[in-house]
Structures are given as structure tokens and as C-alpha cells.
Amino acid sequence: MKKCLGLNLCLVWSLSATLTLGATRAPVTNAKGLVASSSPIASEVGAQILRQGGTAADAAVAVGFALAVTWPSAGNIGGGGFALIHADGGPDRFIDYRETAPAAAGPDFYLNAKGELDASASRVGYRASGVPGTVAGLALLHKRWGKLPWKTLLEPARKLAESGFIVDQALAESLQHSQELLEGNAETRKIFFKKGHVIGRGERLIQKDLARSIAALERGPEAFYEGSVGKAIIADIQKNRGVLSAKDLSSYKVVEREPLRRKWRDFEVVTAPPPSSGGAVLLAILGMLEKDNLEAMGSGSADYVHLLTETMKKAFADRSTWFGDPTFVSNPIDKLLDPVYLAKRRSEISMTAAAHDIKPGELPGEKPDTTHFTIRDSHGMTISNTYTLNGSYGTGIVAKGTGILLNNEMDDFTSKIGASNMFGLTQGKRNLIAPGKRPLSSMTPTFVYRGKDLILALGAPGGPTIINSVAQTLLNRLVFHMDIQQAADAPRFHHQWMPDKLLYEPFGLNPDTKKALEARGQIFRDEARTFGDVEALAWDDELRLWTGASDSRNGGAVAAE
Ligand code: DON
């Protein structure tokens, strides 16, 4: 197997070894660039930009806009997100283009005079939207790391919106799942319904207004924050008693941050800082497992599932209390990731009994949607980007005449202490609403290094499950040596401290393992549920090539340059 008779033959042998290994398909490999996203059309748009000599940042802009057309439940112009960038000649950067609370919103924004919470107002309707950051975020990526003209990058998305494209199985299912929401707004209905039914598989989805908005944005990102597109959005919001104002839009700022960086075993993990909790919770989970012999336990064993579940509970308990937008509140990251603190948290875990009374450390449901894409160009620039409207299709409201869906990101704030948000997360004071503040996120775009070499880039959608999806995919790859497709496809589980329930995927745990876990006191959620699609790129030592995986859970694809 290792005796290569020449380079080509050696590669064929390695590839065929990978092909026969497991139950999932082989990863896509390429000596040049790779693009992994939830939409095959958008991935191909990105690969095309790389073939034209664009950088990974150019491709990220093109994919970001294309997904707003071809994967509208989460791909967006009216939402926000985070991008992690690895580029030659500089340390990795983190671009925070998360939405912000409008100036008129404060801690009582969703409470009535009696202090009662109107939970639906942060999820549906015109008061649920934060100030969108996507256009500003993609524009900064382009300005700092792009090479091709801005217009060239938006043109594929404009054409897809103008001429339409054929709806595939994944999009048809997504539209059908959200049809009630989409039907509720006349402007949205006009786009996604034909002759009284939601557009289905094999039909063409045309978005003329969106094409016109993208054409305006082709002249420059200012069209969104100060020009015609922004004006149309604000006019619609204000006509419908929303509070987002022209001033909110024009004062929106992207923030460039230091990513979190920690050693883990022989690796270094680089990941999302606040206002995402994702990176810190991921690092806390990994940190608690630093000294455990996970290899000996084995992937999917009762010991492994139990131990990982207990670390998830502890890390999510800390998430509930200690995190918020760092511009407004302190985030005691160093204390929460201190190896001594994490070793103590680990020592409290029993391997035979599940804990149900975990408190945040004393310091020294529904089908939601977000989307992740990972891109690497042939010069090594790599971008791991997660962005979102929050729920599937956000508020379900398309701002009149723009084709642009509005986010419902305000639901990620703590609307009332003790009340849970749409993901069942109960959150703390540090995440209360304030004008201009960014809501706490779980999005976790992540890189892993071995020495100086980047070897893994990944991320996922799924609200709080994002963190555990990234953790498990990373462990599958680094600890259990699965190829990147296997690592992404392997069944996962999720615990977020509250509610005290272990969630797993359909057929994701065999009945014996489940019984063994119940015997240790783990409480399962009644209904199994599929998690979000990991989109990942990984260096393969044997192939000596980068490999890419689009999780089989969704209809995405990896496209090669
Ligand atoms: O930022 C967050 O954590 C959420 N707004 C993400 C939402 C999400 O992932 C929904 N996805 N499937």
C-alpha cells in the first residue's frame, strides 16, 4: 500500500483506500482550491471565482451573495455573521459582522408594562431584526484580502436571482418546512409561492427584486447602509412599526477581533471570540478532555458519549452566565479556560453517574437555520465563515421591493432573565439588550494547526448545537482519524446544560449504548433530531492534499477550483 510505483499510482492507491473505508462517500480532493458550502450552485460560484484568479476572500464574497439567492433560509444579505481568515503574512484574523441592537432597543424591549415577556416579538415581526452586518462584513473581506473587482463577485448572485435556478431537494424541503412563515408576509409569498403552493423541487425560483438590490450593491456596499437598498428596507420597517432607523444602518460598524487561540494536545485551535460563545465553549469542552484517553474509549462508546456529555453540560452552564458582547461587558475567558479551572471541572465529573445539579462555575427546538462555508485557495488563504438570519428565513419578512429577508437575531439576546430563547437557551445579565450591542452567538468558525501548519478548517449551523457539532467533528478527525467526510457525517449528540436532556440523531446511538447511558442517569430527549451540516476542509497526510466535505445531512457540495 505504501510502496508507490510512481506518484500517480501511489495517489490512486491512497484514494481507493479512502473510498473503501467507510459508509460515507469519499471527500473531494484537489491540488488547488476547494469550496464547501450548503449549496452546490454557490460552491461552484466560488470555485469559478478561484479559477478566475480570485483569492479565498473573493470567493467568500461571491459565495456569501450566491447563498443569499440559492439557500435563502440562511444565506443572507439582511443578517450577520463571523469570518475567520488565515492569510499569508499575518496572524489569523476574525471579522465580526454580527447584527447589533437598534438604538431604540433596551433591556425591556420585549417586556410589557407588567414586566411580562412577549417571546414571539423577538422572533417574528418587524421588531425582531437587528441591524444587518453581512454586506459590511463581506465588503471588509474584499477590501483587505480580495483581488478581483467587487462587481465581478456579486454578478453571479445577481444573475442567479434574475434568471432563476432549479430548486433541488434540500431547498424544496426547507421551503416546505417554513411555508407557514413564508406565507404570512405578502412580499415573501410573492417570491416563494407559485399558484398558491410553495415552490417545489424541479421548479425555477426567480427573485427579480433581489436581483435589482444586488445590482445596486454592485455599485458599492454603501447602497446598503446609506443608499437605495437601505432606504427601502428602513421605509418598510418603519411603516410597520419597527424601530430600526436610517441612523442605525449608517452607523453600523464591522469589528476586527483577535480570535481565541489555545493549545490542545499536539495541536493549536483557533476559534471564535465573544460576542460568540462558540469558541470559548468549544475550548472549554476540549480542555476538560485534554488528559482523557478518548482513543481507548472509542468513538460512540457509552464512556465517550457520557464523558463528552458531562463536559458539554459544564461548558454550557458557564455559557449561560459569563458571556456577552465584549464592547459592553467583560468576558472572563482566561479564567474559564484556565487549565487549573478546567481540570477541576473535569475532576467533578463521575464516569458512572450523570450530573443534574450543575451550576455555572464560581470563578476564581424547531428547525432553525444558519449556514457555514469554508474556502481555501491555491495560495493557502483559508476562510471559515458562518452567517445567519437566525431562524430559518429569519422573520420570514422580505422588506418591500428589495427581495431581502430580515433577520430575527434579537432573539439571541436575553429578553428576560430566566426565560429561554428559541433554542431553549437560558442566558444571563451580560447578554441583556442595549442599543448597539451584539447578541451572544454560538457560531464557531474554527481552524486547527499542527505546528505552523493549518490542517483543519470547519464550522456548522444549528444554534447551540453548532458548538457540539464542531467539537465532535474535530475530535472525529484528530482523535479517531476519520477522513473529513466521515468526521462530518458521523452521528452526533448534544447537551446544552438546560434543558437537562441529551439529544441525539435518528439511529445515532445503538439501543445498548442508550441503555448504558440511561443506567448512568443520562436523560434523553424523546425525539431524535438531525443536526446541522458541517462544511469542512482538512489536510490529508496520506494523500498530501487538501480534502473537503459537505456534510451528507444537507444537499451541499464541495467544488474544486
Ligand atoms: O448566533 C447564533 O448562535 C444563532 N443565531 C445561530 C442560529 C443558527 O445556527 C440556526 N441554525 N441552524
Side-chain angles (χ1 to χ4, degrees), residues 286-310:
L286 293 176
M288 282 184 253
L289 298 172
E290 173 98 40
K291 301 232 154 43
D292 283 286
N293 190 347
L294 304 173
E295 290 83 344
M297 290 177 197
S299 164
S301 66
D303 272 349
Y304 176 72
V305 177
H306 175 80
L307 175 58
L308 197 45
T309 300
E310 294 301 295

Side-chain angles (χ1 to χ4, degrees), residues 464-476:
T465 68
I466 291 174
I467 305 173
N468 292 330
S469 287
V470 170
Q472 286 165 82
T473 307
L474 184 153
L475 291 167
N476 289 343

Side-chain angles (χ1 to χ4, degrees), residues 75-93:
N76 68 81
I77 290 174
F82 303 120
L84 183 61
I85 299 105
H86 166 90
D88 265 356
D92 295 346
R93 306 306 306 154

Side-chain angles (χ1 to χ4, degrees), residues 46-312:
Q48 190 61 42
I49 293 294
L50 296 179
R51 284 178 215 126
Q52 283 171 243
T55 64
D58 287 323
V61 174
V63 172
F65 278 100
L67 283 166
V69 181
T70 62
W71 189 239
S73 70
N76 68 81
I77 290 174
F82 303 120
L84 183 61
I85 299 105
H86 166 90
D88 265 356
D92 295 346
R93 306 306 306 154
F94 185 81
I95 301 299
D96 168 355
Y97 60 95
R98 180 78 160 156
E99 299 91 329
T100 55
D108 300 338
F109 195 50
Y110 297 114
L111 305 182
N112 65 18
K114 289 192 209 140
E116 294 156 344
L117 174 66
D118 176 3
S120 68
S122 65
R123 298 173 199 172
V124 289
Y126 284 87
R127 286 161 64 86
S129 298
V131 186
T134 293
V135 174
L138 297 178
L140 183 64
L141 280 182
H142 178 248
K143 190 166 151 212
R144 291 281 303 276
W145 294 284
K147 228 160 68 182
L148 299 182
W150 171 254
K151 181 171 180 203
T152 306
L153 308 178
L154 274 62
E155 190 56 10
R158 192 198 62 75
K159 281 192 185 140
L160 282 162
E162 173 74 31
S163 317
F165 62 95
I166 302 299
V167 169
D168 65 9
Q169 173 77 12
L171 178 54
E173 276 182 22
S174 157
L175 288 167
Q176 194 158 29
H177 192 275
S178 296
Q179 65 173 309
E180 214 175 296
L181 178 73
L182 301 173
E183 208 170 1
N185 177 268
E187 193 75 6
T188 314
R189 197 163 55 235
K190 237 170 53 190
I191 299 167
F192 296 108
F193 282 69
K194 231 184 220 171
K195 298 191 184 128
H197 70 88
V198 70
I199 291 189
R201 183 174 172 185
E203 293 188 288
R204 184 170 286 272
L205 174 58
I206 296 174
Q207 301 171 80
K208 294 277 184 201
D209 285 346
L210 184 57
R212 262 190 299 279
S213 292
I214 298 173
L217 294 172
E218 283 181 345
R219 294 192 277 279
E222 313 73 48
F224 192 84
Y225 293 96
E226 326 229 21
S228 60
V229 178
K231 285 202 174 94
I233 291 175
I234 297 300
D236 193 39
I237 289 178
Q238 300 215 326
K239 195 170 144 221
N240 289 285
R241 293 195 296 277
V243 299
L244 221 145
S245 70
K247 177 119 192 295
D248 286 323
L249 261 193
S250 64
S251 42
Y252 182 84
K253 292 257 172 325
V254 177
V255 183
E256 196 174 327
R257 303 185 187 279
E258 280 303 319
L260 299 182
R261 235 174 216 282
R262 289 291 185 284
K263 290 259 172 243
W264 186 72
R265 292 189 172 187
D266 295 332
F267 306 100
E268 184 169 47
V269 180
V270 180
T271 186
S276 182
S277 65
V281 175
L282 169 69
L283 292 169
I285 289 171
L286 293 176
M288 282 184 253
L289 298 172
E290 173 98 40
K291 301 232 154 43
D292 283 286
N293 190 347
L294 304 173
E295 290 83 344
M297 290 177 197
S299 164
S301 66
D303 272 349
Y304 176 72
V305 177
H306 175 80
L307 175 58
L308 197 45
T309 300
E310 294 301 295
T311 61
M312 289 171 182

Side-chain angles (χ1 to χ4, degrees), residues 98 368-370 388 390 409 412 423 440-443 461-463 466:
R98 180 78 160 156
D369 235 310
T370 289
T388 187
N390 197 26
E409 213 68 62
D412 274 347
F423 303 111
L440 187 61
S441 172
S442 300
M443 295 189 283
I466 291 174

Side-chain angles (χ1 to χ4, degrees), residues 3-12:
K3 255 204 277 159
C4 300
L5 302 176
L7 180 67
N8 285 345
L9 194 49
C10 179
L11 286 182
V12 168

Side-chain angles (χ1 to χ4, degrees), residues 380-411:
M381 186 190 293
T382 307
I383 295 192
S384 183
N385 184 93
T386 316
Y387 74 152
T388 187
L389 292 163
N390 197 26
S392 269
Y393 303 91
T395 54
I397 296 169
V398 167
K400 197 165 171 45
T402 68
I404 295 175
L405 277 156
L406 301 177
N407 71 77
N408 58 354
E409 213 68 62
M410 292 295 283
D411 191 60

